[in-house]
């Protein structure tokens, strides 16, 4: 009889195991770690052999044609001569017999910037247009500042790349010590003008506008001297009234302040940005799409049903706005559009914002078709950035040539320029060059970042010139449509989470000015020797002394080695990795941007990828610190008096001191986490000893680093909060493993005693628990005890085991996990106790307790090896172990409800329907309460608290991107689950009621019979 009664339960066991296996497969697909070697270009190493310094030419008079553009360029030559110790020359129009004469002649080349210089005893610069005359003068100024000989052979010079853009630098940003000192402002807004906006008429603070105007002129003049001919300024909606939509008041009704403010913005900032145009630079405005304001969103809701980004009717509104923009700001040469980022983190403090809405192939095409139609009518350009997110082809448009062709291949418009980052991803080292820049028939520009956000925000010496030369040469050889560059002087990453360096204005901005200079020089001539370009910049900026400039250039030539070895773990960074359903960047152990992570997901994955080259990976950290120290000694050995200023000498030495300290600290930490993971993996006593030794070195180094640099606005300490959280939990792994062993042994004793016929206080409770854990279909046959001890033990023992085991799982450091877990069990127990009210709850507590013991045994088997750290190590890196564990663990979770149904039906005689209903009622209520609590707290906040305590995912996720955003979890998920739980509980209550009535009718029928 018992065997027959066991069959339904055994079938149920098979079913729940199958469910567990299905879940395990799904988890594996979502979390599975895979990797393959990346096609990283080889490191570029060039010998430093600088051209000799020649005397500055004796130019006392310069004759130029009339015009502010050429006059400004002539002032650059004058400044270069005075910087070399010569008197400032006289600059005039029609002076005659000048040492340098600039002449406009008939066209002799295809580029408006072409020029040629010859000498007939005096220098003559010839160009066909003012742009060429200015370009030639800027080039001569550059040669003079660099101590180079002036080219005077009459050869035609024209740029290899005709479009050379810079961002807006630090224009409109202020050096706020309090904001920078906090280091926690992760706003990504790059707006230039918001600081001048007033909440009411006159809408714009003219004093602030004047300050921005001065900053913008400084940027334009500096960029022109470097060789740029275009600038990108954030802005679009703030200058638009949508007067071309309907009667002119459909988007913004009459009296709407958006109209008056936009008109004031055009009047105030039009002259500011027009200066760049007057000085020979192209001007592009930059916006995220979909750009919105509350009235605009309301209008789109009324007319096209919301953000219907596939509908031409929606884009007709933006076409009207774009046409208005080109008419009110006629100097604007085009609009640059990005669709891959947006939201509140990019807002400037007013109600203009952006939505991540253009995420499909059809919506991108609809947008470009509309904007290009308007741009063509005004003979302007649309620059589309391929930095995209979404599904399908748009999701990897940035890096996948097939997706690029699918989305953009059908668009053929001469007014379209496609702008793409040069790396296959964000601006990290170790990434392959972007293959999409080698395909397509569109006009292309290549994006570079001078102030590398992921590599110290420009606080570390980081000479990118050779790397950029390598990239440009490859792209130009493969794609004849590459026609320009866009260099980010300041942009990228949060505004105030790094050093308080503002380009041209505050801090040691010169360090990343090197890359800005190099990008422009290479855009003119990609075949230049990179070390000579760096040497020219050094002579202009730091020291013109031949010996000192050579020493500095040689030190900078090693800067990439220090960065790529010290900030990256090479064996991991050199792989294309997929993990957690994402493609993590090559620097995963330092999470955007200065947060040294301590989470097991990243660190265990890095170890797994680096396992075969572990010693090399660890040695690289110390080696990078040694390289930085050698750079520091080389620079410090130069004489400060040979520098352009003692402050520059001190700044570079301090930067190298900082880098050496930082890389040394990171080297100790990398050894700590990799040796810990090695111990988790192998259990080797040697690995354990090495981990403990490295950890002591790390704690000492971290303390010294933070003590030295905390609060330093120029050289801020990295954040080790997340690393310390992970380190604290790692330290507890050995103790937790021993606790797990003790608990498992205790449970084994409990179960063994439960199977014996020994008599002692609590024996009946142990017997019931043993039966419930192993043969729950027999639980109804166990007689209820008569002693109070048994009635207490039957629930107190499982409760104690539940708390202790989950405490071990969480290192006794995650109360949030315990609250959620124990809260769910408590709600389940309370509801079920209510279901069997008026009856002896002994068999119910035995059933729940038996499942607790069963699930705890499964958990402890995973914890006894090397504690929770090994548990999570296997979860992230071992597909076989993860699949086996998830299968069994999820099956045991489902088994709980099977057992509850069994005990309600067989021990309490509730019948099948009523037992099922009561089980659903209890499970649904537990889900509704826990999920509802999370929803009330907020899913993002709840996940943040839980993750901070568990250290499983990067600590910085919630601070910067948001866990839900990064992992694609809908914010409404907790609320939805609460509703689902409530619905399940209602269904369960209904079934229980139906079952109860059916049972009463049956009993009534039996009585009548």
């Amino acid at each position: 009889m018992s065997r027959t009664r066991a069959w339904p339960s055994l079938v149920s066991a098979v079913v729940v195991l199958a469910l567990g296996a299905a879940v395990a497969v799904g988890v594996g697909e979502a979390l599975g770690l895979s990797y393959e070697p990346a096609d990283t270009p080889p490191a570029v190493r060039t010998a430093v052999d600088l051209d000799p310094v020649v005397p500055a030419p004796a130019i006392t008079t310069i004759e130029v044609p009339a015009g502010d553009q050429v006059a400004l360029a002539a002032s650059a030559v004058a400044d270069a001569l005075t910087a070399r110790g010569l008197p400032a020359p006289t600059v005039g129009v029609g002076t005659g017999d000048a040492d340098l004469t600039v002449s406009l002649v008939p066209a002799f080349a295809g580029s408006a910037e072409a020029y040629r210089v010859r000498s007939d005893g005096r220098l003559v610069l010839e160009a066909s247009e003012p742009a060429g005359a200015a370009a030639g003068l800027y080039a001569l100024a550059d040669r003079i500042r660099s101590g180079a000989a002036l080219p005077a052979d009459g050869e035609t010079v024209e740029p290899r790349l005709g479009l050379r853009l810079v961002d807006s630098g630090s224009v409109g940003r202020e050096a706020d010590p309090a904001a920078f000192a906090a280091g926690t402002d992760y706003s990504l807004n790059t707006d230039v003008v918001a600081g001048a906006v007033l909440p009411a008429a006159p809408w714009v603070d003219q004093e602030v506008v004047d300050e921005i105007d001065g900053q913008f002129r400084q940027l334009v003049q500096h960029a022109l001297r470097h060789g740029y001919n275009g600038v990108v300024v954030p802005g679009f909606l703030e200058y638009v009234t949508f007067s071309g939509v309907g009667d002119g008041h459909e988007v913004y009704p009459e009296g709407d302040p958006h109209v008056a403010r936009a008109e004031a913005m055009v009047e105030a900032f039009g002259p500011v940005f027009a200066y760049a145009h007057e000085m020979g630079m192209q001007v592009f405005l930059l916006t995220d799409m979909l750009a919105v304001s509350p009235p605009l969103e309301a209008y789109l809701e009324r007319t096209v049903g919301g953000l219907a980004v596939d509908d031409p009717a929606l884009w007709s509104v933006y076409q009207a706005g774009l046409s208005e923009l080109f008419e009110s700001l006629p100097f604007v040469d085009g609009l640059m559009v990005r669709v891959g980022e947006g939201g509140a983190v990019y807002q400037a403090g007013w109600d203009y914002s952006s939505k991540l809405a253009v995420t499909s192939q059809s919506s991108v095409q609809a947008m470009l078709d509309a904007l290009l139609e308007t741009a063509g009518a005004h003979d302007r350009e649309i620059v589309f950035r391929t930095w995209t997110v979404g599904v399908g082809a748009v999701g990897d448009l940035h890096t996948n040539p097939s997706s690029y062709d699918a989305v953009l291949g059908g668009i053929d418009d001469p007014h379209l320029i496609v702008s793409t980052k040069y790396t296959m991803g964000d601006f990290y080292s170790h990434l392959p060059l972007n293959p999409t820049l080698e395909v397509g028939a569109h006009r292309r520009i290549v994006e570079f970042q001078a102030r590398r956000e992921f590599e110290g925000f420009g606080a570390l010496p980081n000479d990118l010139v050779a790397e950029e030369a390598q990239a440009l040469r490859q792209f130009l050889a493969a794609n004849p449509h590459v026609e320009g560059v866009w260099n980010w002087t300041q942009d990228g990453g949060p505004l105030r989470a790094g050093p308080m360096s503002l380009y041209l204005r505050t801090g040691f901005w010169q360090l990343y000015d090197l890359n800005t200079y190099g990008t422009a020089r290479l855009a003119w001539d990609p075949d230049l020797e990179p070390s000579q370009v760096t040497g020219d910049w050094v002579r202009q900026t730091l020291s013109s002394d031949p010996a000192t400039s050579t020493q500095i250039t040689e030190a900078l030539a090693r800067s990439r080695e220090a960065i790529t070895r010290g900030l990256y773990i090479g064996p991991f960074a050199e792989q294309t990795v997929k993990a957690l359903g994402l493609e993590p960047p090559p620097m995963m152990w330092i999470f955007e941007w200065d947060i040294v992570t301590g989470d097991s997901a990243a660190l265990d994955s890095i170890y797994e990828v680096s396992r075969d080259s572990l010693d090399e990976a660890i040695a690289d950290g110390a080696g990078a610190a040694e390289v930085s120290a050698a750079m520091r000694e080389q620079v410090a050995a130069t004489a400060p008096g040979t520098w352009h200023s003692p402050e520059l000498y001190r700044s570079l030495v301090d930067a190298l001191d900082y880098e050496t300290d930082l890389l040394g600290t990171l080297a100790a930490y990398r050894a700590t986490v990799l040796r810990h993971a090695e111990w988790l993996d192998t259990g080797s006593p040697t690995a354990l000893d090495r981990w403990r030794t490295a950890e002591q070195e790390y704690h000492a180094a971290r303390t010294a680093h933070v003590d030295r640099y905390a609060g330093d606005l120029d050289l801020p300490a990295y954040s080790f909060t997340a690393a310390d959280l992970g380190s604290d939990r790692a330290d507890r792994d050995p103790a937790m493993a021993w606790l797990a062993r003790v608990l498992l042994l205790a449970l084994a004793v409990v179960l063994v005693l439960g199977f014996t016929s020994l008599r002692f206080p609590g024996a009946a409770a142990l017997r019931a628990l043993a039966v419930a854990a192993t043969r729950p279909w027999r639980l109804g046959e166990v007689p209820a005890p008569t002693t109070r001890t048994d009635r207490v033990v039957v629930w107190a023992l499982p409760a104690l085991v539940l708390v202790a085991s989950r405490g071990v799982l969480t290192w006794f450091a995650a109360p949030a996990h315990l609250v959620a877990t124990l809260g769910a069990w408590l709600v389940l127990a309370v509801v079920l106790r209510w279901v069997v009210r008026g009856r002896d709850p002994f068999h119910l507590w035995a059933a729940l307790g038996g499942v607790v013991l069963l699930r705890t045994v499964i958990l402890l088997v995973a914890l006894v090896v090397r504690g929770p750290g090994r548990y999570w190590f296997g979860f992230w890196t071992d597909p076989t172990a993860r699949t086996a564990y998830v299968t069994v663990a999820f099956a045991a979770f489902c088994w709980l409800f099977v057992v509850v149904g069994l005990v309600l039906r067989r021990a309490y005689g509730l019948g099948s329907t009523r037992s099922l209903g009561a089980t659903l009622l209890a499970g649904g209520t537990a889900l509704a309460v826990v999920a509802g609590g999370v929803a009330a707290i907020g899913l993002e906040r709840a996940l943040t608290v839980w993750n901070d305590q568990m250290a499983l995912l990067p600590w910085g996720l919630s601070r910067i991107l948001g866990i839900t955003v990064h992992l694609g979890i809908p914010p409404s998920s907790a609320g939805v689950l609460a509703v689902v739980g409530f619905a399940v509980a209602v269904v369960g209550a209904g079934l229980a009621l139906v079952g109860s009535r059916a049972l009463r009718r049956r009993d009534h029928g039996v009585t009548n019979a």
Side-chain angles (χ1 to χ4, degrees):
M1 181 177 178
S2 62
R3 179 174 300 176
T4 302
R5 292 173 63 190
W7 275 111
S9 299
L10 295 176
V11 171
S12 298
V14 172
V15 171
V16 297
L17 281 170
L19 287 173
V23 170
V25 170
V27 170
E29 291 178 352
L31 303 182
L33 176 68
S34 64
Y35 51 92
E36 59 184 10
D39 187 20
T40 305
V44 183
R45 303 184 187 279
T46 57
V48 175
D49 184 16
L50 302 182
D51 293 338
V53 175
V54 302
I59 299 175
T60 59
T61 54
I62 304 175
E63 180 181 352
V64 296
D68 291 341
Q69 180 180 354
V70 180
L72 181 64
S75 71
V77 177
D79 290 344
L81 290 168
T82 57
R84 295 290 304 278
L86 297 178
T90 300
V91 180
V93 178
T95 58
D97 296 327
D99 297 316
L100 170 59
T101 300
V102 181
S103 301
L104 295 179
V105 300
F108 53 87
S111 171
E113 293 180 295
Y115 66 90
R116 60 193 178 202
V117 180
R118 57 183 174 82
S119 174
D120 54 6
R122 297 178 180 181
L123 292 172
V124 176
L125 190 159
E126 296 177 334
S128 62
E129 297 188 31
L137 286 168
Y138 287 126
L140 291 179
D142 177 79
R143 298 295 78 212
I144 294 170
R145 293 197 306 271
S146 301
L150 299 185
D153 53 10
E155 292 290 326
T156 298
V157 179
E158 53 186 328
R160 177 66 176 83
L161 299 176
L163 185 58
R164 304 175 301 282
L165 303 176
V166 290
D167 64 2
S168 54
S170 65
V171 174
R173 305 181 191 180
E174 294 307 317
D176 182 342
F180 277 94
T184 56
D185 184 350
Y186 292 104
S187 167
L188 298 173
N189 166 57
T190 57
D191 186 83
V192 168
V193 300
V197 177
L198 299 174
W203 303 110
V204 179
D205 185 329
Q206 190 57 47
E207 288 188 7
V208 179
V209 172
D210 292 341
E211 292 177 7
I212 293 172
D213 182 44
Q215 295 167 6
F216 187 70
R217 287 173 179 254
Q218 178 191 34
L219 173 76
V220 167
Q221 293 169 15
H222 191 79
L224 285 168
R225 292 186 177 194
H226 274 351
Y228 291 95
N229 65 355
V231 61
V232 180
V233 181
F236 173 47
L237 278 190
E238 54 264 51
Y239 304 104
V240 174
T241 66
F242 290 104
S243 59
V245 178
D247 63 1
H249 302 291
E250 295 195 14
V251 175
Y252 297 130
E254 287 193 62
D256 190 305
H258 289 84
V259 174
R261 182 169 58 194
E263 292 172 345
M265 294 287 288
V266 169
E267 182 178 356
F269 284 102
V272 173
F273 302 135
Y275 174 76
H277 172 77
E278 294 162 3
M279 294 302 107
M281 297 190 84
Q282 297 185 57
V283 179
F284 290 85
L285 293 186
L286 166 67
T287 186
D288 286 324
M289 279 294 178
L290 205 62
V292 293
S293 64
L296 176 56
E297 280 197 84
Y299 174 77
L300 294 175
E301 185 67 39
R302 294 194 306 271
T303 57
V304 297
L307 305 184
V309 290
D310 289 327
D311 191 341
L314 177 143
W315 293 113
S316 68
V317 179
Y318 288 89
Q319 285 180 286
L322 184 60
S323 182
E324 177 189 350
L325 181 79
F326 288 148
E327 291 168 2
S328 62
L329 300 175
F331 58 86
V332 172
D333 293 278
L335 183 70
M336 181 179 285
V337 177
R338 177 179 70 174
V339 299
E341 295 187 54
V345 73
Y346 297 92
Q347 280 188 263
W350 48 10
D351 63 357
Y352 297 116
S353 62
S354 59
K355 303 285 187 180
L356 272 175
V358 186
T359 57
S360 67
Q361 178 175 331
S362 57
S363 61
V364 170
Q365 292 169 342
M367 177 191 72
L368 290 178
D369 286 343
L371 298 182
L372 286 168
E373 179 182 1
T374 301
H378 291 268
D379 194 24
R380 309 293 173 83
E381 317 284 5
I382 296 296
V383 181
F384 175 62
R385 295 195 58 212
T386 61
W387 186 247
T388 50
V389 297
V391 297
V394 177
D396 59 355
L397 174 61
H398 174 59
T399 58
N400 188 331
S402 297
S403 297
Y404 181 96
D405 182 65
V407 177
L408 300 177
I411 300 177
D412 181 12
D413 193 303
H415 299 282
L416 173 64
I417 302 173
V418 180
S419 179
T420 304
K421 292 180 181 179
Y422 83 103
T423 48
M424 195 174 174
D426 215 336
F427 290 115
Y428 290 97
S429 299
H430 294 280
L431 287 173
L433 297 179
N434 198 323
T436 66
L437 279 162
E438 299 182 11
V439 301
H442 307 99
R443 301 164 62 192
R444 305 297 296 276
I445 58 177
V446 184
E447 298 177 13
F448 295 107
Q449 185 181 47
R451 185 180 185 255
R452 292 290 279 259
E453 60 188 287
F454 302 111
E455 296 172 357
F457 280 111
L460 307 176
N462 199 359
D463 181 357
L464 297 164
V465 178
E467 186 174 301
E468 292 188 6
Q470 180 186 53
L472 279 178
R473 291 166 188 169
Q474 180 169 321
F475 297 144
L476 289 169
N479 189 351
H481 305 294
V482 173
E483 65 175 54
V485 296
W486 179 27
N487 177 69
W488 303 6
T489 65
Q490 182 81 25
D491 281 352
L495 304 188
R496 289 174 289 272
M500 195 173 72
S501 58
L502 300 177
Y503 189 57
L504 305 181
R505 297 166 51 211
T506 303
F508 193 27
W509 55 265
Q510 287 87 349
L511 269 186
Y512 49 97
D513 183 58
L514 162 61
N515 298 322
T516 298
Y517 172 82
T519 301
R521 287 285 304 278
L522 293 171
W524 270 85
D525 184 359
D527 294 324
L528 289 172
E529 169 55 43
S531 65
Q532 184 63 55
V533 174
T534 298
D536 288 345
W537 175 86
V538 168
R539 288 173 175 174
Q540 295 181 29
T541 309
L542 302 179
S543 173
S544 58
D545 178 79
T548 297
S549 60
T550 297
Q551 292 295 310
I552 299 170
T553 305
E554 288 178 348
L556 291 173
R558 301 195 67 187
S559 62
R560 292 297 293 154
E561 181 184 1
I563 292 287
T564 56
R565 294 176 66 191
L567 296 182
Y568 299 83
I569 297 176
F572 177 83
E574 294 289 342
Q575 302 286 320
T576 297
V577 179
K578 294 185 179 180
L580 297 174
L582 306 168
E583 292 188 20
M587 186 197 286
M588 198 59 188
W589 71 309
I590 303 174
F591 188 84
E592 303 173 340
W593 285 256
D594 56 358
I595 300 172
V596 184
T597 197
D599 63 285
S600 61
L603 298 177
D604 290 347
S605 298
I606 290 171
Y607 166 82
E608 176 64 18
V609 175
S610 308
R611 182 204 307 260
D612 294 337
S613 304
L614 199 63
D615 292 339
E616 171 194 336
I618 293 172
D620 262 352
E626 291 171 1
V627 170
S628 179
M631 292 165 56
R632 190 265 183 207
E633 293 307 313
Q634 188 169 15
V635 171
T638 63
T642 61
W643 290 57
H644 292 321
S645 76
E647 291 76 17
L648 289 171
Y649 168 85
R650 189 71 261 160
S651 293
L652 184 52
V653 171
D654 287 347
L656 287 165
D657 278 335
Y658 171 73
E659 180 176 41
T660 303
D661 182 88
L662 172 64
L663 297 186
T665 304
L666 292 176
Y669 183 66
R670 101 165 53 190
T672 299
V673 297
L674 291 179
R675 292 304 183 193
H676 173 246
E678 183 184 23
W679 173 73
L680 293 177
D681 181 27
T682 66
S684 163
T686 302
L688 177 62
D689 291 341
R690 289 175 174 174
W691 162 36
R692 294 303 196 193
T693 300
E695 188 176 40
Q696 291 177 358
E697 294 175 358
Y698 158 65
H699 284 307
R702 183 258 289 136
T703 300
H705 174 81
V706 173
D707 287 348
R708 182 173 182 181
Y709 292 108
D712 192 318
L713 296 178
D714 296 316
L715 303 168
Y718 267 45
S719 170
F720 290 93
T721 302
D724 289 343
L725 287 171
S727 180
D728 172 72
R729 281 139 188 80
D731 287 342
R732 302 185 187 193
D733 276 332
M736 295 302 102
W738 278 109
L739 279 175
R741 293 163 193 162
V742 171
L743 274 174
L744 187 59
L745 178 61
L747 280 180
V749 171
V750 166
L751 292 174
V752 169
L753 289 175
F755 287 125
T756 69
S757 57
L758 297 175
R759 295 180 179 274
F760 52 87
L766 298 188
R767 194 168 299 116
L769 289 170
V771 171
T774 58
R775 294 166 294 162
W777 56 88
R778 300 280 304 273
L779 183 59
E781 302 170 16
V782 176
T786 58
T787 68
R788 180 173 179 79
T789 299
D790 286 304
R791 294 185 177 280
V792 171
V793 169
V794 78
W795 64 261
L797 176 63
L800 178 63
V801 167
L802 183 66
V803 173
S805 62
R806 274 54 181 183
V808 171
L809 172 65
T810 60
W811 300 277
F812 291 96
H817 188 90
L818 292 180
V819 167
T821 301
L822 301 180
W825 276 103
L826 181 61
V827 171
L828 184 78
V830 168
V831 173
L832 290 173
R833 179 65 183 92
W834 176 81
V835 168
V836 299
R837 63 194 181 280
R839 308 186 190 192
D840 186 351
F842 177 80
H843 289 91
L844 173 64
W845 299 146
L848 294 178
V851 176
V852 167
L853 298 187
L854 175 64
R855 294 186 62 195
T856 300
V857 167
I858 295 170
L859 174 63
L860 292 176
V861 167
L863 294 176
V864 295
V865 182
R866 279 174 287 281
R870 182 61 179 82
Y871 171 97
W872 289 110
F873 178 88
F875 185 80
W876 301 125
T877 68
D878 189 338
T880 301
R882 178 179 60 238
T883 300
Y885 179 81
V886 171
T887 297
V888 175
F890 188 80
F893 167 76
C894 296
W895 185 245
L896 165 67
F897 301 101
V898 174
V899 172
V900 167
L902 277 172
V903 75
L904 292 178
R905 184 160 56 91
R906 296 195 176 182
Y908 293 96
L910 298 188
S912 298
T913 302
R914 191 177 176 190
S915 296
L916 174 61
T919 303
L920 292 176
L921 172 64
T925 303
L927 176 61
V929 170
V930 173
V934 170
I937 296 170
L939 180 60
E940 181 64 38
R941 182 182 174 191
L943 286 175
T944 297
V945 171
W946 174 79
N947 188 58
D948 284 356
Q949 295 173 1
M950 291 294 291
L952 300 181
L953 300 173
W955 179 85
L957 273 181
S958 63
R959 276 80 184 168
I960 300 167
L961 303 170
I963 295 175
T964 54
V965 173
H966 189 76
L967 297 182
I969 303 172
S972 60
S973 297
V976 170
L977 285 176
V979 171
V980 170
F982 179 76
V984 170
V986 169
V987 171
L991 288 174
L993 183 61
V994 169
S996 178
R997 288 176 177 175
L999 188 61
R1000 283 198 299 270
R1001 284 195 302 269
R1002 187 190 68 186
D1003 292 342
H1004 181 69
V1006 170
T1007 301
N1008 289 339

